[in-house]
């Protein structure tokens, strides 16, 4: 009763935790729904809502520890997702572009800021350097927008994320140096401690985290525990960063990079990570940013207006010049240049940290005994307005140019004129094969395949209740795994006296393009399975057959060794089968090591130039050397072997020995056998011939774009 009376009073600001959380949830729910109708980015709506309900608005909520803690998690989450979702192959490819943008976006605003502070505002050089560092850093506050629109793998986004880390580190380094010089602590010990701390921190996160993560994901399959583990790693990396003397957001980003290959982009765990972040933590951060905003400070005095306008001009102008310089230097398109400006124009976390530290450092007193601060109150007030204006501009610009990138991407896709059909069927018989098969299917499927996945179980005896219950268990588990990754998998139950005939009938009925069969890890490649494979499944000429054996989760594989037979590229469906390997590399981030003859490797290198993955290529001509190659593979490596039917041009006599090889070398390791379909279709043969003979990369790009988009 007392609690009800307390709640009924509705004293402002609200103190009851239930009421406070309810208000925040209502804001998170309503802001996007209302603002999307008038084409206003929902991120901006959450910031404005925070200003309205915050202590500087109607004082409905206070920016207390609960808001700060959850909001801090949201900021760390944004940086973590940026590292987690980044395409590592493109990141490596564009590393010099990232360094170039990082230099532009730090130096240009920094120089303008120093000149303005010293010559316009009459600050001393030390204060001028700290003042200028405010504009060099930026916060990826609009990153959720590009993530939502699906353009996070665009090279401009990739470059911006990489440059953000560089400029934030440099800006915060300037802060550390200025503070140290002010307090007289900049000496040899200072530099030694800072450099050693950063090196140790980077080594622990980038080398230690993947080792710990791979071990954990191998041992623990519980989904809740896996998600909590991710949160632990985010905060642990953030803590290590602070101990090293740099900002926590850098630690969160590096944690994302470290776990990038362990959390596949199409996995259920990635879906959980993104869902919770976008639903709770990131909105809390945006609302907490809004609570800092006090529009009334703009009208306090002329000095505040002058400083605020100057800060906004330097920050937005400097970031715009940096984005134009990056666009011109690296030949980015206009929408790409625009998204670089949009993502990098927002000032929030690092800016606030710099201003707060500078404001709290007292360097003297006036004649009246008032403190002289390194950064005065007008800069503090100006920074609040800078956050509001910059976040507004960032949200609108990012959304506009991200939509342009999506439109351009759709126009460049040839799939409308050349539809690439993909219907994947999982034939499940053993409970322990369901999880690995489904997770692999999510990795190899094309992005556009959201519903054309099917799972099949054949019941031999119609009246066998135990067989029916077993089928329901297998199918329900597969559907559940797909649903957790927002992918619809259609269950199919068939009654048939023969498993092979039943499966083949389903393949015809649903026009299946890819049939995946799981091998029981305990039984291995048995003679009975070999007979069913060659005498039954491979008779489906128009279907790719994939045989999967898993001893560890696909997310924990460090490298896939892909072996291609001679003349593989001459097979009519080769590139459609190869697409599965390409998708696996793009969605998992694992390294791919291709082995093939000169012509095959040359072909793959052409494709990699158009559709980049983390791949290396090795000339390999003698299949008699397979055992030596298998001996070199490590425990966390997996094998992908392209096979062929006896009637196919890529058939090798040594393929008869493959079952024995696999039982000898891969009982404790993952392997995937791919039998490309061998139906003779003029369309596929034309694609193969054109790619094989084309020297013009534009021509290759058009053909590859149809298959690999």
């Amino acid at each position: 009763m007392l609690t009800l009376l307390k709640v009924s009073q509705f004293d402002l600001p609200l103190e009851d935790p239930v009421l406070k959380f309810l208000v925040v949830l209502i804001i998170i729910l309503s802001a996007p729904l209302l603002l999307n109708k008038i084409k206003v980015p929902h991120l901006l709506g959450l910031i404005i809502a925070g200003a309205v309900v915050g202590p500087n608005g109607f004082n409905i909520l206070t920016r207390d520890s609960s808001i700060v803690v959850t909001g801090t998690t949201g900021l760390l989450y944004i940086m973590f997702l940026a590292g987690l979702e980044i395409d590592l192959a493109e990141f490596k490819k564009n590393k010099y572009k990232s360094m170039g943008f990082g230099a532009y976006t730090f130096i240009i605003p920094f120089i303008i800021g120093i000149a303005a502070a010293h010559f316009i505002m009459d600050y001393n050089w030390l204060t001028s350097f700290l003042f200028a560092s405010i504009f060099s850093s930026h916060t990826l506050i609009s990153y959720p927008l590009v993530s939502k629109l699906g353009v996070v793998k665009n090279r401009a986004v990739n470059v911006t994320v990489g440059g953000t880390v560089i400029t934030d580190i440099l800006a915060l380094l300037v802060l550390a140096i200025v503070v140290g010089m002010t307090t007289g602590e900049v000496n040899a010990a200072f530099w030694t401690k800072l450099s050693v701390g950063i090196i140790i921190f980077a080594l622990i996160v980038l080398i230690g985290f993947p080792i710990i993560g791979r071990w954990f994901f191998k041992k623990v399959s519980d989904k809740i525990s896996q998600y909590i583990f991710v949160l632990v790693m985010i905060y642990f990396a953030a803590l290590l960063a602070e101990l090293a003397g740099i900002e926590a957001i850098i630690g969160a980003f590096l944690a994302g990079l470290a776990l990038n290959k362990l959390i596949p982009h199409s996995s259920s765990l990635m879906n959980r990570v993104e869902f919770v972040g976008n639903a709770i933590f990131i909105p809390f951060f945006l609302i907490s940013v809004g609570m800092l905003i006090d529009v009334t400070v703009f009208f306090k005095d002329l000095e505040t207006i002058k400083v605020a306008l100057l800060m906004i001009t330097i920050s937005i102008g400097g970031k715009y010049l940096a984005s134009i310089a990056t666009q011109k230097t690296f030949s980015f398109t206009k929408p790409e240049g625009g998204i670089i400006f949009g993502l990098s124009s927002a000032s929030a976390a690092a800016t606030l940290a710099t201003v707060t530290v500078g404001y709290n450092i007292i360097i003297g007193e006036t004649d009246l005994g008032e403190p002289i601060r390194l950064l005065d109150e007008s800069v503090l007030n100006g920074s609040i307005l800078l956050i509001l204006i910059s976040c507004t501009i960032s949200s609108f610009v990012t959304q506009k140019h991200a939509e342009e990138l999506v439109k351009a991407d759709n126009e460049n896709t040839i799939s409308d004129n050349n539809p690439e059909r993909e219907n994947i069927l999982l034939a499940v018989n053993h409970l322990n094969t369901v999880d690995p098969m489904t997770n692999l299917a999510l990795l190899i499927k094309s992005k556009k395949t959201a519903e054309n996945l099917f799972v099949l179980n054949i019941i031999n005896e119609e009246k066998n209740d135990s067989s029916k219950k077993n089928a329901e268990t297998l199918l329900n588990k597969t559907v559940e795994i797909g649903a957790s990754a927002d992918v619809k998998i259609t269950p199919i139950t068939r009654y048939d006296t023969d498993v092979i005939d039943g499966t083949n009938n389903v393949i015809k009925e649903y026009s299946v393009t890819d049939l995946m069969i799981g091998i029981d890890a305990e039984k291995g490649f048995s003679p009975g399975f070999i007979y069913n494979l060659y005498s039954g499944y491979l008779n489906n000429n128009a279907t790719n057959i994939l045989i999967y054996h898993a001893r560890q989760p696909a997310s924990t594989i460090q490298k896939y060794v892909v072996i291609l037979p001679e003349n593989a590229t001459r097979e009519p469906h080769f590139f459609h089968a190869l697409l599965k390997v390409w998708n696996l590399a793009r969605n998992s981030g694992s390294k791919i090591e291709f082995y093939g003859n000169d012509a095959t490797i040359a072909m793959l290198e052409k494709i990699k130039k158009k559709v980049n993955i983390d791949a290396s290529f090795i000339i390999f001509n003698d299949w008699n050397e397979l055992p030596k190659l298998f001996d070199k593979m490590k425990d966390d490596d997996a094998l992908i072997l392209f096979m062929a039917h006896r009637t196919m041009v890529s058939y090798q006599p040594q393929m008869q020995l493959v079952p024995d090889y696999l039982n000898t070398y891969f009982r404790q390791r993952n392997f995937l056998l791919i039998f490309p379909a061998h139906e003779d279709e003029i369309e596929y043969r034309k694609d193969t011939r054109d790619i094989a003979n084309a020297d013009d990369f534009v021509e290759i790009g058009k053909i590859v774009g149809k298959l690999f988009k």
Side-chain angles (χ1 to χ4, degrees), residues 2-155:
L2 291 175
T3 303
L4 291 175
L5 290 173
K6 181 181 178 182
V7 171
S8 66
Q9 293 176 0
F10 291 107
D11 292 332
L12 299 181
L14 298 176
E15 295 294 336
D16 185 86
V18 176
L19 260 181
K20 290 169 63 177
F21 198 72
L22 175 61
V23 170
V24 173
L25 290 179
I26 291 173
I27 293 172
I28 295 174
L29 173 65
S30 59
L33 295 177
L34 295 175
L35 294 175
N36 284 343
K37 294 182 178 180
I38 57 175
K39 303 298 182 182
V40 175
H42 69 279
L43 304 181
L44 181 59
L46 292 171
I47 294 173
I48 294 173
V52 172
V53 303
N56 300 312
F58 290 103
N59 197 28
I60 298 174
L61 299 175
T62 58
R63 195 173 186 271
D64 57 16
S65 58
S66 63
I67 298 291
V68 172
V69 169
T70 315
T72 300
T73 303
L75 174 59
L76 297 179
Y77 226 96
I78 290 175
M79 294 303 296
F80 175 74
L81 284 177
L84 192 63
E85 294 181 336
I86 199 169
D87 189 326
L88 289 180
E90 285 295 314
F91 187 67
K92 293 177 183 177
K93 181 180 177 181
N94 296 315
K95 59 184 175 182
Y96 295 114
K97 293 184 177 68
S98 292
M99 293 171 64
F101 168 66
Y104 282 137
T105 197
F106 175 80
I107 293 173
I108 293 176
F110 192 65
I111 292 176
I112 297 174
I114 291 174
H118 189 70
F119 298 107
I120 296 179
M121 302 179 67
D122 295 325
Y123 288 160
N124 61 50
W125 285 112
L126 201 60
T127 302
S128 298
F129 273 86
L130 184 61
F131 180 78
S133 70
I134 295 172
F135 315 112
S136 293
S137 64
H138 57 255
T139 303
L140 294 175
I141 206 163
S142 296
Y143 183 83
L145 287 175
V146 300
S147 179
K148 182 180 180 180
L149 291 171
V151 293
V152 292
K153 292 190 176 183
N154 181 274
R155 58 176 183 167

Side-chain angles (χ1 to χ4, degrees), residues 179-423:
V179 171
M181 293 180 67
T182 303
T183 57
E185 295 178 357
V186 174
N187 48 36
F190 169 83
W191 291 110
T192 301
K193 180 182 178 182
L194 182 63
S195 57
V196 171
I198 291 175
I199 292 172
I200 294 175
F201 152 71
L203 290 175
I204 292 175
V205 175
L206 295 178
I207 297 177
F209 275 31
I211 295 174
I212 296 171
R214 184 167 287 105
W215 173 85
F216 185 86
F217 290 131
K218 278 184 180 181
K219 300 294 183 181
V220 180
S221 59
D222 180 69
K223 304 303 181 184
I224 296 177
S225 298
Q226 288 183 348
Y227 178 74
I228 298 300
F229 172 78
V230 171
L231 287 182
V232 169
M233 300 309 277
I234 295 173
Y235 265 97
F236 187 36
L239 176 62
L240 290 175
E242 291 182 337
L243 293 175
I246 56 179
E247 198 65 22
I249 56 176
I250 307 301
F253 175 77
L254 291 187
L257 284 182
L259 299 180
N260 185 287
K261 293 184 177 182
L262 296 173
I263 305 178
H265 300 161
S266 58
S267 66
S268 57
L269 179 56
M270 173 66 88
N271 188 53
R272 290 185 180 90
V273 170
E274 290 181 329
F275 177 80
V276 177
N278 291 324
I280 300 295
F281 293 128
I282 294 176
F284 257 96
F285 165 66
L286 297 171
I287 292 172
S288 71
V289 169
M291 288 181 173
L292 296 170
I293 296 171
D294 183 4
V295 180
T296 61
V297 300
F298 191 74
F299 307 102
K300 281 189 174 180
D301 55 60
L302 189 61
E303 184 66 18
T304 297
I305 297 175
K306 172 185 171 183
V307 172
L309 291 176
L310 184 63
M311 292 177 70
I312 293 169
T313 302
I314 296 171
S315 180
I316 302 301
K319 294 301 181 183
Y320 179 75
L321 292 175
S323 66
I324 293 297
T326 304
Q327 179 186 337
K328 299 296 184 184
T329 302
F330 303 114
S331 301
F332 285 141
T333 63
K334 189 175 180 181
E336 287 175 329
I339 207 165
I340 291 174
F341 171 59
L343 285 171
S344 63
S345 57
S347 298
T351 295
L352 195 61
T354 301
V355 173
T356 302
V357 171
Y359 181 77
N360 290 329
I361 293 178
I362 299 174
I363 56 177
E365 290 185 354
T366 63
D367 294 338
L368 299 176
E370 296 180 353
I372 301 175
R373 303 179 184 274
L374 193 59
L375 293 176
D376 57 31
E377 188 174 357
S378 60
V379 175
L380 179 64
N381 294 333
S383 68
I384 301 300
L385 292 174
L386 171 61
I387 290 173
L388 174 61
I389 301 299
S390 65
C391 289
T392 301
I393 293 174
S394 175
S395 299
F396 278 106
V397 173
T398 300
Q399 179 164 294
K400 176 180 181 293
H401 290 287
E403 290 172 349
E404 290 178 359
L405 287 176
V406 172
K407 183 179 179 181
D409 189 53
N410 291 336
E411 290 175 352
N412 291 331
T413 302
I414 315 176
S415 58
D416 291 336
N417 299 325
N418 300 277
E420 168 58 11
R421 176 175 50 88
E422 182 181 55
N423 295 325

Side-chain angles (χ1 to χ4, degrees), residues 401-699:
H401 290 287
E403 290 172 349
E404 290 178 359
L405 287 176
V406 172
K407 183 179 179 181
D409 189 53
N410 291 336
E411 290 175 352
N412 291 331
T413 302
I414 315 176
S415 58
D416 291 336
N417 299 325
N418 300 277
E420 168 58 11
R421 176 175 50 88
E422 182 181 55
N423 295 325
I424 300 176
L425 175 65
L426 310 181
V428 297
N429 291 304
H430 306 285
L431 187 61
N432 58 359
T433 65
V434 170
D435 200 306
M437 283 179 64
T438 310
N439 287 326
L440 182 67
L442 296 176
L443 292 176
I444 66 173
K445 76 176 187 66
S446 298
K447 185 177 181 181
K448 60 190 175 185
T449 305
E451 296 185 352
N452 295 354
L453 269 76
F454 307 90
V455 57
L456 168 69
N457 182 259
I458 303 293
I459 300 177
N460 289 313
E461 300 176 89
E462 186 173 352
K463 296 182 179 180
N464 190 329
D465 291 336
S466 62
S467 296
K468 186 176 180 180
K469 291 180 180 179
N470 181 61
E472 292 176 352
T473 301
L474 296 173
L475 300 182
N476 289 339
K477 184 175 182 182
T478 306
V479 171
E480 180 184 338
I481 296 172
S484 66
D486 280 342
V487 174
K488 179 183 177 181
I489 300 179
T490 303
I492 303 172
T493 302
R494 283 291 184 271
Y495 295 94
D496 204 300
T497 55
D498 186 85
V499 174
I500 303 297
D501 290 342
T503 303
N504 291 343
N505 289 334
V506 172
I507 289 174
K508 294 174 183 177
E509 181 181 347
Y510 288 87
S511 301
V512 171
T513 58
D514 303 274
L515 171 65
M516 184 185 297
I517 304 168
I519 297 179
D520 191 334
E522 301 300 326
K523 295 181 180 179
F525 226 109
S526 65
F529 180 82
I530 295 172
Y531 176 81
N532 289 336
L533 175 63
Y534 283 95
S535 302
Y537 296 119
L538 290 180
N539 291 331
N540 296 285
N541 295 347
T543 304
N544 297 320
I545 309 297
L546 294 86
I547 312 299
Y548 187 44
H549 173 272
R551 294 294 295 188
Q552 66 185 79
S555 61
T556 63
I557 298 297
Q558 283 187 301
K559 181 178 69 178
Y560 287 92
V561 174
V562 182
I563 303 175
L564 302 164
E566 187 178 0
N567 298 322
T569 58
R570 293 175 55 193
E571 298 294 352
H573 290 256
F574 168 74
F575 289 101
H576 297 258
L578 181 65
L579 175 60
K580 304 298 178 287
V581 178
W582 233 260
N583 287 337
L584 177 61
R586 289 190 290 185
N587 292 328
S588 70
S590 297
K591 180 179 177 61
I592 307 290
E593 196 169 81
F594 287 98
Y595 288 79
N597 64 9
D598 302 61
T600 303
I601 294 301
M603 172 61 53
L604 297 175
E605 288 177 333
K606 285 182 180 180
I607 296 175
K608 183 177 182 290
K609 289 180 180 179
K610 299 304 299 182
V611 188
N612 190 40
I613 59 174
D614 186 5
S616 59
F617 306 94
I618 299 172
I619 304 297
F620 181 77
N621 294 303
D622 189 359
W623 273 48
N624 289 316
E625 299 294 317
L626 283 178
K628 294 182 180 179
L629 181 57
F630 296 155
D631 282 331
K632 295 179 182 178
M633 293 176 63
K634 299 178 180 179
D635 290 340
D636 290 324
D637 292 347
L639 173 69
I640 299 178
L641 191 60
F642 274 68
M643 300 287 285
H645 197 273
R646 289 178 181 272
T647 60
M648 298 170 70
V649 295
S650 61
Y651 177 76
Q652 303 283 322
Q654 294 86 349
M655 289 181 180
Q656 299 179 42
L657 302 175
V658 166
D660 292 333
Y661 287 154
L662 297 178
N663 284 332
T664 302
Y665 293 95
F666 290 91
R667 291 301 292 266
Q668 301 301 322
R669 287 189 288 191
N670 289 24
F671 68 78
L672 175 67
L673 300 186
I674 300 179
F675 291 83
H678 51 283
E679 182 180 44
D680 188 6
E681 295 184 12
I682 297 176
E683 173 75 22
Y684 295 133
R685 287 204 179 279
K686 180 179 182 301
D687 292 343
T688 302
R689 185 192 68 239
D690 289 347
I691 296 178
N693 297 330
D695 291 322
D696 182 358
F697 286 148
V698 175
E699 182 183 352

Side-chain angles (χ1 to χ4, degrees), residues 86 91 98-99 101-102 140 156-167 253:
I86 199 169
F91 187 67
S98 292
M99 293 171 64
F101 168 66
L140 294 175
V157 176
N158 212 297
V159 165
T160 306
V161 171
T164 297
V165 176
I166 294 172
T167 191
F253 175 77

